[in-house]
Short mmCIF file of all heavy atoms in Angstrom, two decimals:
data_model
loop_
_atom_site.label_atom_id
_atom_site.label_comp_id
_atom_site.label_asym_id
_atom_site.label_seq_id
_atom_site.Cartn_x
_atom_site.Cartn_y
_atom_site.Cartn_z
N SER A 313 118.71 91.16 110.55
CA SER A 313 119.58 90.62 111.60
C SER A 313 120.39 91.73 112.27
O SER A 313 120.64 91.69 113.48
CB SER A 313 120.52 89.56 111.02
OG SER A 313 121.45 90.12 110.12
N GLN A 314 120.77 92.75 111.50
CA GLN A 314 121.51 93.88 112.07
C GLN A 314 120.65 94.65 113.05
O GLN A 314 121.09 95.02 114.15
CB GLN A 314 122.00 94.80 110.95
CG GLN A 314 123.05 94.19 110.05
CD GLN A 314 123.38 95.08 108.87
OE1 GLN A 314 122.67 96.05 108.57
NE2 GLN A 314 124.46 94.77 108.17
N VAL A 315 119.39 94.90 112.66
CA VAL A 315 118.48 95.65 113.53
C VAL A 315 118.15 94.85 114.79
O VAL A 315 118.13 95.39 115.90
CB VAL A 315 117.20 96.04 112.76
CG1 VAL A 315 116.15 96.62 113.70
CG2 VAL A 315 117.54 97.04 111.65
N ALA A 316 117.90 93.54 114.62
CA ALA A 316 117.59 92.69 115.78
C ALA A 316 118.78 92.65 116.74
O ALA A 316 118.61 92.68 117.97
CB ALA A 316 117.23 91.28 115.31
N ALA A 317 119.99 92.58 116.19
CA ALA A 317 121.18 92.56 117.04
C ALA A 317 121.34 93.88 117.78
O ALA A 317 121.70 93.90 118.97
CB ALA A 317 122.42 92.29 116.17
N PHE A 318 121.05 95.00 117.10
CA PHE A 318 121.16 96.31 117.74
C PHE A 318 120.19 96.44 118.90
O PHE A 318 120.51 97.03 119.95
CB PHE A 318 120.92 97.41 116.71
CG PHE A 318 121.01 98.82 117.25
CD1 PHE A 318 122.14 99.25 117.92
CD2 PHE A 318 119.96 99.71 117.08
CE1 PHE A 318 122.24 100.55 118.43
CE2 PHE A 318 120.04 101.00 117.56
CZ PHE A 318 121.18 101.42 118.25
N ARG A 319 119.01 95.88 118.76
CA ARG A 319 118.03 95.98 119.84
C ARG A 319 118.52 95.24 121.09
O ARG A 319 118.21 95.65 122.22
CB ARG A 319 116.67 95.44 119.42
CG ARG A 319 115.62 95.72 120.48
CD ARG A 319 114.25 95.17 120.18
NE ARG A 319 113.38 95.47 121.31
CZ ARG A 319 113.34 94.76 122.44
NH1 ARG A 319 114.11 93.69 122.57
NH2 ARG A 319 112.53 95.11 123.43
N LYS A 320 119.24 94.15 120.89
CA LYS A 320 119.78 93.43 122.05
C LYS A 320 120.75 94.31 122.84
O LYS A 320 120.87 94.18 124.05
CB LYS A 320 120.48 92.16 121.59
CG LYS A 320 119.53 91.00 121.29
CD LYS A 320 120.28 89.75 120.90
CE LYS A 320 119.37 88.53 120.97
NZ LYS A 320 118.16 88.65 120.21
N ARG A 321 121.45 95.20 122.14
CA ARG A 321 122.41 96.07 122.79
C ARG A 321 121.80 97.37 123.28
O ARG A 321 122.26 97.96 124.26
CB ARG A 321 123.57 96.40 121.82
CG ARG A 321 124.39 95.21 121.40
CD ARG A 321 125.16 94.62 122.56
NE ARG A 321 126.23 95.48 123.01
CZ ARG A 321 127.01 95.22 124.05
NH1 ARG A 321 126.83 94.13 124.75
NH2 ARG A 321 127.97 96.07 124.40
N LYS A 322 120.73 97.83 122.60
CA LYS A 322 120.19 99.16 122.92
C LYS A 322 118.66 99.14 122.85
O LYS A 322 118.04 99.70 121.94
CB LYS A 322 120.74 100.18 121.92
CG LYS A 322 120.45 101.63 122.25
CD LYS A 322 121.46 102.21 123.22
CE LYS A 322 121.24 103.69 123.42
NZ LYS A 322 122.24 104.29 124.31
N PRO A 323 117.98 98.50 123.79
CA PRO A 323 116.51 98.42 123.72
C PRO A 323 115.82 99.78 123.70
O PRO A 323 114.77 99.93 123.07
CB PRO A 323 116.15 97.63 124.99
CG PRO A 323 117.39 96.88 125.34
CD PRO A 323 118.53 97.76 124.92
N VAL A 324 116.40 100.78 124.38
CA VAL A 324 115.76 102.08 124.46
C VAL A 324 115.66 102.74 123.09
O VAL A 324 114.82 103.63 122.87
CB VAL A 324 116.53 103.00 125.44
CG1 VAL A 324 117.87 103.41 124.86
CG2 VAL A 324 115.71 104.23 125.80
N ALA A 325 116.48 102.31 122.14
CA ALA A 325 116.45 102.89 120.79
C ALA A 325 115.22 102.47 120.01
O ALA A 325 115.04 102.92 118.86
CB ALA A 325 117.71 102.47 120.02
N PHE A 326 114.38 101.65 120.60
CA PHE A 326 113.18 101.17 119.91
C PHE A 326 111.92 101.66 120.60
O PHE A 326 110.83 101.16 120.32
CB PHE A 326 113.21 99.64 119.84
CG PHE A 326 114.29 99.10 118.96
CD1 PHE A 326 115.62 99.15 119.35
CD2 PHE A 326 114.00 98.60 117.70
CE1 PHE A 326 116.63 98.68 118.53
CE2 PHE A 326 115.00 98.13 116.87
CZ PHE A 326 116.33 98.18 117.28
N GLU A 327 112.06 102.63 121.48
CA GLU A 327 110.92 103.13 122.25
C GLU A 327 110.60 104.58 121.89
O GLU A 327 111.47 105.33 121.44
CB GLU A 327 111.23 103.03 123.75
CG GLU A 327 111.48 101.61 124.22
CD GLU A 327 111.93 101.56 125.67
OE1 GLU A 327 112.04 102.64 126.29
OE2 GLU A 327 112.18 100.44 126.17
N MET A 328 109.36 104.96 122.13
CA MET A 328 108.91 106.33 121.89
C MET A 328 109.73 107.31 122.73
O MET A 328 109.91 107.09 123.93
CB MET A 328 107.42 106.45 122.23
CG MET A 328 106.82 107.82 121.97
SD MET A 328 105.06 107.88 122.42
CE MET A 328 104.30 107.04 121.04
N PRO A 329 110.26 108.37 122.12
CA PRO A 329 111.11 109.30 122.87
C PRO A 329 110.33 110.10 123.90
O PRO A 329 109.17 110.44 123.71
CB PRO A 329 111.67 110.22 121.77
CG PRO A 329 110.66 110.15 120.67
CD PRO A 329 110.13 108.75 120.71
N LYS A 330 111.01 110.42 125.03
CA LYS A 330 110.39 111.20 126.10
C LYS A 330 111.36 112.29 126.53
O LYS A 330 112.57 112.20 126.30
CB LYS A 330 110.03 110.30 127.28
CG LYS A 330 109.03 109.21 126.93
CD LYS A 330 108.73 108.33 128.11
CE LYS A 330 107.74 107.23 127.72
NZ LYS A 330 107.43 106.33 128.85
N ASP A 331 110.83 113.33 127.16
CA ASP A 331 111.70 114.39 127.65
C ASP A 331 112.25 114.03 129.03
O ASP A 331 112.04 112.93 129.54
CB ASP A 331 110.95 115.74 127.68
CG ASP A 331 109.75 115.73 128.62
OD1 ASP A 331 109.70 114.84 129.50
OD2 ASP A 331 108.90 116.60 128.48
N GLY A 332 112.96 114.98 129.64
CA GLY A 332 113.62 114.70 130.91
C GLY A 332 112.67 114.38 132.04
O GLY A 332 113.06 113.77 133.05
N ASN A 333 111.40 114.74 131.91
CA ASN A 333 110.41 114.47 132.95
C ASN A 333 109.62 113.19 132.70
O ASN A 333 108.63 112.92 133.37
CB ASN A 333 109.43 115.65 133.06
CG ASN A 333 110.13 116.92 133.48
OD1 ASN A 333 110.99 116.89 134.37
ND2 ASN A 333 109.78 118.03 132.85
N GLY A 334 110.05 112.44 131.69
CA GLY A 334 109.36 111.20 131.38
C GLY A 334 108.10 111.38 130.57
O GLY A 334 107.32 110.45 130.39
N LYS A 335 107.88 112.59 130.06
CA LYS A 335 106.69 112.86 129.24
C LYS A 335 107.07 112.82 127.76
O LYS A 335 108.23 112.98 127.39
CB LYS A 335 106.11 114.22 129.60
CG LYS A 335 105.61 114.31 131.04
CD LYS A 335 105.03 115.68 131.32
CE LYS A 335 104.52 115.77 132.75
NZ LYS A 335 103.96 117.10 133.07
N LEU A 336 106.06 112.66 126.94
CA LEU A 336 106.29 112.61 125.51
C LEU A 336 106.73 113.97 124.99
O LEU A 336 106.20 115.01 125.39
CB LEU A 336 105.02 112.17 124.78
CG LEU A 336 104.45 110.80 125.19
CD1 LEU A 336 103.24 110.48 124.33
CD2 LEU A 336 105.49 109.72 125.05
N SER A 337 107.69 113.97 124.10
CA SER A 337 108.18 115.20 123.49
C SER A 337 107.44 115.43 122.18
O SER A 337 107.67 114.74 121.20
CB SER A 337 109.69 115.09 123.23
OG SER A 337 110.14 116.17 122.45
N ARG A 338 106.53 116.40 122.15
CA ARG A 338 105.69 116.62 120.98
C ARG A 338 106.50 117.02 119.75
O ARG A 338 106.21 116.59 118.64
CB ARG A 338 104.64 117.70 121.29
CG ARG A 338 103.64 117.87 120.15
CD ARG A 338 102.53 118.84 120.51
NE ARG A 338 101.56 118.92 119.43
CZ ARG A 338 100.55 118.07 119.27
NH1 ARG A 338 100.38 117.09 120.13
NH2 ARG A 338 99.70 118.19 118.26
#
Side-chain angles (χ1 to χ4, degrees):
S313 67
Q314 293 173 347
V315 171
F318 180 54
R319 188 182 178 279
K320 280 183 165 54
R321 296 294 290 177
K322 189 84 174 183
V324 71
F326 292 73
E327 299 174 1
M328 182 181 282
K330 299 179 181 179
D331 62 19
N333 297 317
K335 297 181 180 179
L336 301 183
S337 170
R338 186 175 183 84

